[in-house]
Structures are given as C-alpha cells and as structure tokens.
Amino acid sequence: MNKGYNEFAKQKKTLFRRPPQVKSSKAQIHTKFHKIPEIKFEDQQLTSFSGLLIFQLFFKRIELKDKLKKCFSNLKVSPIFGHHLVVLLLIIHLILGFRRLREIDYYRDDPLVLRLMGLKKLPDVSTISRSLSQMDTQSIANLRRLSRLFVINGLQRESFGRLTLDFDGSVLSTKGHAEGSAVGFNKVKKGARSYYPLFCTIAQTGQFLDMYHRPGNVHDSNGAADFMLRCFKKVKSQLPGTIIESRMDSAFFNEEIISLVSENHVKFTASVPFVKFAELKKKIEECGAWNEINKKWSYFETQWKPKSWNTEFRFVFTRKKVKQQQKGPLQLDLFIPLDLEYDYKVIVTNKTDAAKAVVLFHNGRGSQESIFGDAKTDTALGVIPCKRLASNQVFTIASMMAHNFSREMQMVAHPAASRAKHKRPAAWKFKKLDTIRHQIIQRAGRLIRPQGKLTLTMSLNQAVKKDLLHFMDVLQKAA
C-alpha cells in the first residue's frame, strides 16, 4: 500500500510541477536609443480615447441624445449646434478629464469624440458659451429632471429594500464675479465669491439625485425643507414599498425640517447643536450610568423636546473616548501615562433600532464627503466656468451627470456587494472615474476600414482588452 501511494505521489508531483522559470539575459532586456525621431502632423483617423467606445454604447442604451433634446424643446432658437449637443459635449468633456471650456481645442479632431457626438466638427468655444447663456429656467428644470430620472431608473433596476438620502451643501468657489455668486463662509478660500448648492445624494450608489442652487452667503438650511420634501416625494412615487432614510448635520436641526421629515414617514437621524440648548449639557452631567456600545463608544437616551417645540423625539446622547493632547515636555520613559477625555454628541431620530445601530447609521453620513471629493476631482464639480448663472447651473448638472454615468456603468457591469450594513456604505466597490480614465478611456487607437468594415485597432494590452471587452459585452446584453 505504501509503495502504491509513493508512486502516485511521484506522478502527482510530476504532473503539477511548475515549468522552470527561464531567466532573461541583459541583452534580451536592455537596448540603447539615441536618435530623436522627426515629428510630423498628419490628418489621420487616430484617437487618444479608444475607451470612449463603452460610453458610446452606454449613451445609446439610455438614449441620452434624444432625451437631452427634449429638455430644450421650449427654446425657440434652433442653432446649427443644438443646445442638447452642447450639454452632451460638456458631459463628454468632463468624462475625458478636462475642466475648462477652452480645452476642447485639444481634442476637437478626435474621431471617436466626433462619432459619439454624431458630428463632423465640434463647435467653437464662443458658440458653446453663447448656447449656455441662452438656457432659461425651464430648460434647467428639465435637465435636472432628466438627471434625476436616470438615477431613479437605476434604483428601480436594482430594487433596493431601503434607500438612504443624504443632504448637505458644498461650496463652489470662483475668483471672478459670476452672476448669482456671493461672499460667504469659505474656510478654504476666505473672501472668495461662491455658490453654495444643496445636494441630495444616494448612499447606496454614490450618485447625485438632485441639486438646489444657491448663492454662497446663505445658511445650510436655506430652502432645504421644500427641496428635501420634493426629493422624498419623487423617490417614493417611483419606488413604492422602499424604506426611505435620511441623515443630516446640525445645520438642519430645526422643528420645521425635523417635523416635515418625520411626517413623511422617512426614518432619519440629525446631529443636535449643543450651543443652542444648555439643557443638553445638564442632562449629560446628571447621567450616572452610560450604556457601553464598544470600547470607545457609550450612550444613554431619552424622549425630549426643546421648549418651543410641540413634539417629543428620541434623543441619543453619545460619548467617545479620545486621547487628550499632552502639553509640555514628555517623559522619556518606557511607559507614558495616557489621559483620556470624552467627545460628546447628540443625535435626534425617529428610528426604533438599537442605539448602536442608530449611531453607526448616522456616522456613515461621512461618505457623502467622499462623493463630493470624487466629483470635484474627477468631473470638475467645483469649477465655475462662466459669468452667467444659467450657464454655471448647466455646467454643475453636467458634472453631476458625468459622475452618475461613471457609477451607473460600473453598477451594470459588476454585481453589488452586501447591502445590509449599519453605515449604509455604497453597495459596489466603485473605481474613481479618474482610474477608469487612465486604465481604459485614454488609450490610443486607429479607425480603419479593412474590406469596408469599420475597425478600431489598439495596442495589445491584456488588462485593457479584458476590461474593455467586459464592459462592451455587458452593455450590449443590457441594451
């Protein structure tokens, strides 16, 4: 028996033995290049953005051009370059990673961009600026509606059991004097004029649902109640049966907003500002028993309302152990005594979950800052390119749509991860648009017609081939 087993082990070892690694010589690796090639510029069908092919498929699937055209049907002016083409060009411009309008000159002859636009030539920068300045309030409202519709269509496809809507403002600064901008709180660029739009984002998909444009000198809660109510109603009407949740910071803590959210059967949490309510500090001082959540966090809760309010809500008081900053010279001993102090926070909610789940859920709202950061870095959300208010609003919506489309493509191409998590993180492991840009979109290629068949040839790179063909296969099946 042992002899037979040993023989089998030898055969197995021989079968699964790795092939020997052949070591390359220096001559096979290194070479010398001295001559600098001459440069020639010729009119050829060369593209720097071969990966745009997947966006051509995606835009065709969602009928983007036709739907954009309907947004501007109210405008009587009918230029050669329609308003819908200008907005489509802005979206492509931002997907490619450009920020300023004049940078269109660097790719205006790219054949794949022209094919994606359905044009033989791109409009001049002056034409784009003039078209943007002709946008009216109705056109912008239609464009916002379309942007919202694309997001809701994706949510309907994914059939989420619950959706988390986060609300917050983000400062968009400008060095110039753009129409409708104002000097307000701006910790990064003090004294700069800015806009301060209020955004609604979807935590599960990392997308922008809608935007309410405002000047830079308003409070966070300015116009928030009506905007939030519209967002809740739109989502509920399109996604009946879905549990709607919301998270807000202390700027939204007032009776009007809290009561409105609660009355519309939205499960919410909101930070409570300590400065306005001295009673909260007294409650913390009088608490003799804190319930432990984990080694850092503990809590207690009570039903309470400010004196001027009519309704009581559940208030969860939390404290977190933090390291106390040591001042003065440190002891150079092996063991340094460490002092701890507590950081306190109060959350108001109508959720009936355990306090631990409520705290984790509310703390997850920090993911919205990541959405703002990605959009400002990858799709120029923070750029104010024009002097006209309407032009800048359209640019911001185009930025939101470019960001949303990059997320939507990944949602279609890859399965979602686990959705049942307390902090409500994104249900996909999204790549940043900048990463997709470098890995797939910015690839050189040539359009040729061997035997009359249109063909895009690219350099053979297995990683690019795998990713590009995967996206194309998924989008063609989904069409």
Side-chain angles (χ1 to χ4, degrees):
M1 183 176 177
N2 289 338
K3 185 177 180 181
Y5 175 78
N6 292 336
E7 191 68 29
F8 171 74
K10 286 180 181 178
Q11 291 177 359
K12 182 179 177 182
K13 191 174 181 181
T14 305
L15 282 171
F16 295 99
R17 183 181 297 165
R18 290 183 179 180
Q21 298 292 326
V22 180
K23 188 175 180 181
S24 302
S25 65
K26 280 190 175 182
Q28 293 173 313
I29 302 287
H30 297 276
T31 188
K32 292 182 180 180
F33 295 102
H34 297 289
K35 191 171 182 179
I36 306 299
E38 293 183 6
I39 299 177
K40 286 186 178 181
F41 294 94
E42 298 179 353
D43 186 12
Q44 300 186 39
Q45 289 291 295
L46 297 174
T47 177
S48 301
F49 310 107
S50 296
L52 270 184
L53 201 60
I54 59 176
F55 281 93
Q56 184 177 358
L57 275 171
F58 178 67
F59 290 167
K60 184 179 179 180
R61 171 179 171 265
I62 63 175
E63 300 176 340
L64 179 59
K65 187 186 288 188
D66 292 338
K67 290 177 180 177
L68 282 175
K69 190 172 185 179
K70 292 178 183 177
C71 291
F72 305 100
S73 58
N74 59 298
L75 296 178
K76 295 180 180 179
V77 180
S78 124
I80 295 175
F81 296 103
H83 298 91
H84 67 291
L85 291 175
V86 170
V87 175
L88 178 60
L89 180 56
L90 276 183
I91 294 171
I92 296 169
H93 183 74
L94 296 169
I95 287 172
L96 294 179
F98 295 98
R99 302 173 74 83
R100 304 296 175 184
L101 296 181
R102 293 202 172 275
E103 293 172 339
I104 288 171
D105 292 336
Y106 289 95
Y107 62 83
R108 63 171 52 257
D109 58 341
D110 191 286
L112 267 188
V113 175
L114 292 171
R115 291 183 66 83
L116 189 53
M117 290 290 299
L119 298 173
K120 291 184 177 180
K121 61 177 291 188
L122 295 182
D124 296 330
V125 177
S126 58
T127 304
I128 295 171
S129 299
R130 186 165 53 252
S131 179
L132 288 173
S133 66
Q134 293 169 351
M135 307 287 186
D136 62 0
T137 306
Q138 183 60 47
S139 302
I140 295 169
N142 293 340
L143 195 58
R144 280 178 56 194
R145 189 181 301 112
L146 179 62
S147 175
R148 191 168 57 237
L149 178 64
F150 284 134
V151 175
I152 289 176
N153 287 344
L155 296 175
Q156 289 173 332
R157 182 191 65 244
E158 297 299 332
S159 300
F160 285 95
R162 66 176 67 234
L163 284 174
T164 308
L165 277 60
D166 293 325
F167 295 89
D168 205 357
S170 186
V171 178
L172 313 181
S173 301
T174 177
K175 295 179 181 178
H177 287 262
E179 180 186 2
S181 64
V183 178
F185 175 73
N186 192 335
K187 62 182 180 181
V188 178
K189 299 179 180 178
K190 294 182 180 179
R193 299 182 69 85
S194 64
Y195 295 127
Y196 191 43
L198 177 61
F199 292 99
C200 174
T201 58
I202 307 293
Q204 283 78 4
T205 64
Q207 294 175 304
F208 293 94
L209 178 67
D210 204 354
M211 176 265 303
Y212 173 58
H213 212 274
R214 306 178 299 186
N217 61 346
V218 301
H219 187 264
D220 293 59
S221 62
N222 182 278
D226 291 339
F227 174 67
M228 293 168 71
L229 182 59
R230 288 196 299 271
C231 290
F232 294 142
K233 286 184 175 180
K234 291 293 182 184
V235 174
K236 284 191 171 188
S237 65
Q238 299 297 321
L239 300 163
T242 303
I243 299 172
I244 307 299
E245 303 174 319
S246 186
R247 301 178 287 202
M248 300 163 281
D249 66 15
S250 58
F252 299 89
F253 181 80
N254 62 61
E255 187 176 17
E256 180 189 8
I257 292 178
I258 298 299
S259 298
L260 180 145
V261 175
S262 183
E263 288 167 3
N264 282 273
H265 308 289
V266 175
K267 300 296 182 181
F268 75 90
T269 60
S271 299
V272 182
F274 271 102
V275 180
K276 294 183 179 181
F277 306 102
E279 302 97 315
L280 298 179
K281 182 180 178 183
K282 186 177 179 182
K283 285 184 177 295
I284 290 173
E285 291 172 345
E286 291 175 350
C287 178
W290 290 78
N291 303 305
E292 186 177 290
I293 295 177
N294 53 38
K295 292 181 179 180
K296 286 188 176 182
W297 289 88
S298 53
Y299 79 96
F300 75 92
E301 60 179 273
T302 184
Q303 291 290 124
W304 182 74
K305 71 177 182 67
K307 292 179 181 178
S308 59
W309 288 27
N310 297 318
T311 310
E312 284 189 348
F313 287 95
R314 180 188 181 191
F315 283 75
V316 181
F317 296 74
T318 66
R319 67 178 184 180
K320 178 185 177 183
K321 291 180 181 179
V322 293
K323 294 179 181 179
Q324 188 175 9
Q325 184 179 2
Q326 297 184 357
K327 297 182 180 180
L330 297 175
Q331 299 179 18
L332 299 178
D333 297 332
L334 183 60
F335 299 103
I336 298 175
L338 182 64
D339 294 328
L340 294 174
E341 58 182 9
Y342 290 102
D343 184 17
Y344 295 93
K345 182 165 63 176
V346 183
I347 300 169
V348 61
T349 182
N350 64 349
K351 292 173 74 71
T352 56
D353 301 341
K356 178 180 179 180
V358 171
V359 172
L360 290 174
F361 169 76
H362 187 70
N363 289 346
R365 67 179 300 275
S367 62
Q368 190 180 35
E369 294 300 326
S370 176
I371 298 173
F372 291 155
D374 289 349
K376 286 185 176 182
T377 302
D378 298 339
T379 60
L381 181 68
V383 173
I384 301 176
C386 306
K387 291 185 178 181
R388 295 290 184 91
L389 174 61
S391 304
N392 292 324
Q393 287 178 322
V394 172
F395 189 90
T396 301
I397 297 170
S399 172
M400 291 164 50
M401 293 177 77
H403 172 87
N404 290 347
F405 289 154
S406 73
R407 295 292 171 96
E408 178 71 16
M409 280 216 322
Q410 295 180 71
M411 288 162 60
V412 172
H414 304 289
S418 175
R419 301 180 181 185
K421 294 184 179 179
H422 290 306
K423 288 190 175 183
R424 310 293 189 266
W428 287 262
K429 292 184 178 179
F430 289 113
K431 288 184 179 180
K432 292 186 176 183
L433 178 55
D434 189 53
T435 302
I436 297 173
R437 201 177 284 141
H438 286 101
Q439 291 180 349
I440 301 176
I441 297 175
Q442 294 175 341
R443 292 288 161 178
R446 184 194 297 271
L447 284 171
I448 56 176
R449 290 183 180 272
Q451 299 179 350
K453 185 177 181 180
L454 182 65
T455 305
L456 175 64
T457 60
M458 302 167 60
S459 175
L460 181 60
N461 181 294
Q462 293 300 331
V464 176
K465 179 181 177 181
K466 177 184 174 183
D467 290 344
L468 188 61
L469 291 181
H470 173 70
F471 272 109
M472 290 189 64
D473 182 55
V474 171
L475 290 171
Q476 285 172 335
K477 288 178 180 177

